[in-house]
């Protein structure tokens, strides 16, 4: 069990990561490479990248076993991209690298390349940096839009929890294996671990590749983080070829393929800008704006302005349409569903 101890100051210093964390996604994706090939979410991704990994990737897999300890220096704080991740890892204090690699090896004799890395050998460090960059490019870059969509949607849900129920709801709702028993956050964990925040606050990091229990750093003196699985209920909404999949659905026949794709993207990514939707779907800004206007006029999305930015959010009616049922609390329909009828009549008026 992991116990995270809060002070009064820490309550006001709980944050949710604004973007997916490249370091944690890289580390946890290495864990996912060891997942079964039939894994519901990672199976096809794993099949693409697990075949005959090059020696550099095999070294990364040795540094990131799927169970047990992975060196904390692989997940430095505050990195924004693969380049800064590599710089941060290679800039780690050599004594720390040596200590953490010794913890990883335990009683086993480490391989020669790992001993050279622990000794601070410059060639070994350069090879590690090249392996990180190459693996990120090969395994993560092409999927980053999807990773970002899932983690940003999770962030929006957690912000909503914070607004509606405060920090207690936020901390108590992020994962079924987490309990908030003030002033301690209790997390299901494979080993007993204690973290005392002591005014540093806690950064919550939703992760696409995190699966199962949340994870944190071993060293309690490092900036406190809790990495947890992003909401898996959103995954069916963002298949790799969402617009192609929508073409064969009843929703696409009702709204049109492009408009259905816009609604789906807003549901997963919202609150989101029209520019963000256009970029993710490869549409022009003018087309996206036109589709958003129709969706708004039919009650499927709402639009509001934050400072100089206009953001779209799916409404309960729009969510119900995507999920194939009415909003919670509504009377169960007989065919045809009332939500679909309402949309059909509204579309006839709007178009």
């Amino acid at each position: 069990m992991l116990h995270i101890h809060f002070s009064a100051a820490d309550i006001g210093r709980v944050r949710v990561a604004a973007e997916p964390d490249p370091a944690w996604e890289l580390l946890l994706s290495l864990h996912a490479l060891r997942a079964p090939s039939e894994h519901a979410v990672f199976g096809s991704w794993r099949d693409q990248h697990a075949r005959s990994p090059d020696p550099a990737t095999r070294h990364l897999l040795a540094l990131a076993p799927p169970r047990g300890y992975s060196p904390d220096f692989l997940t430095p704080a505050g990195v924004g991209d693969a380049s800064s991740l590599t710089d941060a890892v290679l800039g780690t204090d050599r004594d720390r690298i040596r200590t953490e690699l010794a913890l990883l090896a335990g009683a086993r004799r480490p391989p020669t390349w790992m001993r050279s890395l622990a000794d601070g050998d410059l060639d070994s460090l350069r090879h590690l940096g090249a392996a990180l960059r190459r693996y990120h490019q090969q395994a993560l870059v092409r999927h980053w839009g999807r990773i970002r969509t899932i983690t940003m949607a999770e962030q929006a849900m957690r912000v909503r929890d914070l607004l509606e129920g405060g920090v207690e709801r936020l901390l108590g709702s992020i994962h079924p294996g987490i309990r908030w028993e003030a002033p301690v956050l209790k997390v299901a964990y494979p080993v007993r671990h204690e973290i005392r925040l002591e005014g540093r606050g806690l950064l919550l990091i939703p992760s696409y590749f995190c699966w199962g229990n949340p994870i944190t750093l071993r060293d309690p003196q490092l900036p406190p983080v809790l990495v947890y699985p992003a909401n898996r209920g959103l995954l069916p909404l963002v298949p790799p070829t969402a617009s192609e999949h929508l073409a064969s659905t009843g929703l696409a026949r009702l709204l049109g393929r492009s408009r259905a794709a816009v609604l789906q993207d807003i549901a997963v990514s919202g609150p989101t800008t029209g520019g963000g939707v256009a970029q993710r779907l490869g549409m022009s800004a003018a087309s996206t704006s036109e589709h958003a206007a129709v969706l708004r006029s039919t009650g499927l999305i709402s639009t509001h302005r934050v400072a100089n930015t206009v953001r779209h959010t799916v409404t309960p009616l729009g969510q119900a349409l995507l999920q194939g049922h009415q909003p919670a609390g509504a009377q169960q329909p007989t065919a045809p569903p009332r939500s679909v009828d309402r949309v059909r009549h509204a579309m006839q008026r709007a178009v």
Side-chain angles (χ1 to χ4, degrees):
M1 181 70 73
L2 166 65
H3 290 167
I4 303 177
H5 300 265
F6 285 70
S7 67
D10 294 311
I11 295 295
R13 293 173 182 159
V14 175
R15 294 107 62 215
V16 181
E19 296 281 345
D21 188 293
W24 282 104
E25 295 300 343
L26 189 150
L27 173 70
L28 294 169
S29 72
L30 290 167
H31 293 180
L33 277 181
R34 310 285 183 89
S37 59
E38 68 273 13
H39 194 289
V41 175
F42 301 139
S44 60
W45 173 87
R46 178 193 175 281
D47 289 345
Q48 293 175 43
H49 301 289
R51 297 189 189 98
S52 303
D54 61 30
T57 299
R58 287 197 289 271
H59 288 175
L60 293 180
L61 289 169
L63 292 173
R67 291 181 179 82
Y69 175 69
S70 296
D72 288 340
F73 70 76
L74 293 175
T75 49
V79 299
D81 53 37
S83 177
S84 57
L85 165 61
T86 302
D87 291 343
V89 170
L90 299 187
T92 306
D93 179 81
R94 299 296 179 263
D95 288 339
R96 180 181 161 196
I97 291 179
R98 184 179 301 109
T99 298
E100 293 185 2
L101 289 178
L103 286 171
L104 174 65
R108 297 176 288 108
R109 180 174 174 80
T112 300
W113 66 266
M114 194 178 292
R115 294 200 302 273
S116 296
L117 188 62
D119 290 338
D121 177 72
L122 291 179
D123 284 340
S124 297
L125 288 167
R126 281 194 289 267
H127 288 156
L128 174 60
L132 290 169
R133 284 190 292 269
R134 184 160 62 250
Y135 175 78
H136 185 274
Q137 181 67 35
Q138 293 174 349
L140 297 181
V141 166
R142 186 159 58 90
H143 307 281
W144 199 252
R146 192 179 191 200
I147 292 168
R148 189 175 186 276
T149 295
I150 292 295
T151 55
M152 295 296 285
E154 173 70 21
Q155 181 208 49
M157 293 170 63
R158 300 287 75 87
V159 170
R160 189 175 302 123
D161 285 339
L162 179 63
L163 292 174
E164 294 177 356
V167 173
E168 287 192 358
R169 182 187 294 186
L170 170 64
L171 293 175
S173 64
I174 60 176
H175 189 272
I178 293 178
R179 299 195 316 276
W180 171 244
E181 297 180 6
V184 179
L185 190 66
K186 298 183 177 181
V187 184
Y189 214 64
V191 297
R192 182 169 181 81
H193 189 38
E194 304 281 333
I195 298 177
R196 299 186 181 276
L197 300 179
E198 298 176 333
R200 295 175 295 168
L202 179 66
L203 177 62
L204 301 172
I205 303 178
S207 167
Y208 180 84
F209 279 106
C210 186
W211 195 267
N213 289 331
I215 186 172
T216 190
L217 298 164
R218 184 183 188 277
D219 186 347
Q221 300 306 311
L222 293 172
V225 300
L226 185 65
V227 184
Y228 69 95
N231 192 310
R232 296 299 163 185
L234 296 169
L235 287 171
L237 294 177
V238 284
T241 54
S243 59
E244 295 174 10
H245 172 72
L246 280 168
S248 63
T249 67
L251 181 60
R253 291 192 293 272
L254 176 66
L255 301 180
R257 186 178 70 177
S258 296
R259 194 163 292 155
V262 170
L263 176 62
Q264 184 183 51
D265 185 85
I266 292 171
V268 173
S269 306
T272 184
T273 64
V277 176
Q279 183 178 23
R280 287 187 292 272
L281 298 182
M283 290 184 180
S284 69
S287 294
T288 303
S289 178
E290 179 183 348
H291 291 315
V294 174
L295 293 172
R296 181 170 57 252
S297 68
T298 54
L300 297 180
I301 67 170
S302 62
T303 301
H304 60 284
R305 181 176 293 277
V306 178
N308 295 324
T309 304
V310 173
R311 295 187 178 274
H312 306 300
T313 307
V314 72
T315 64
L317 176 61
Q319 191 67 56
L321 194 67
L322 285 167
Q323 294 175 347
H325 58 71
Q326 288 185 306
Q331 195 173 29
Q332 288 299 315
T334 56
R338 290 173 55 199
S339 60
V340 174
D341 280 345
R342 287 176 59 191
V343 173
R344 184 181 293 115
H345 294 324
M347 292 288 292
Q348 290 170 351
R349 293 195 304 268
V351 178

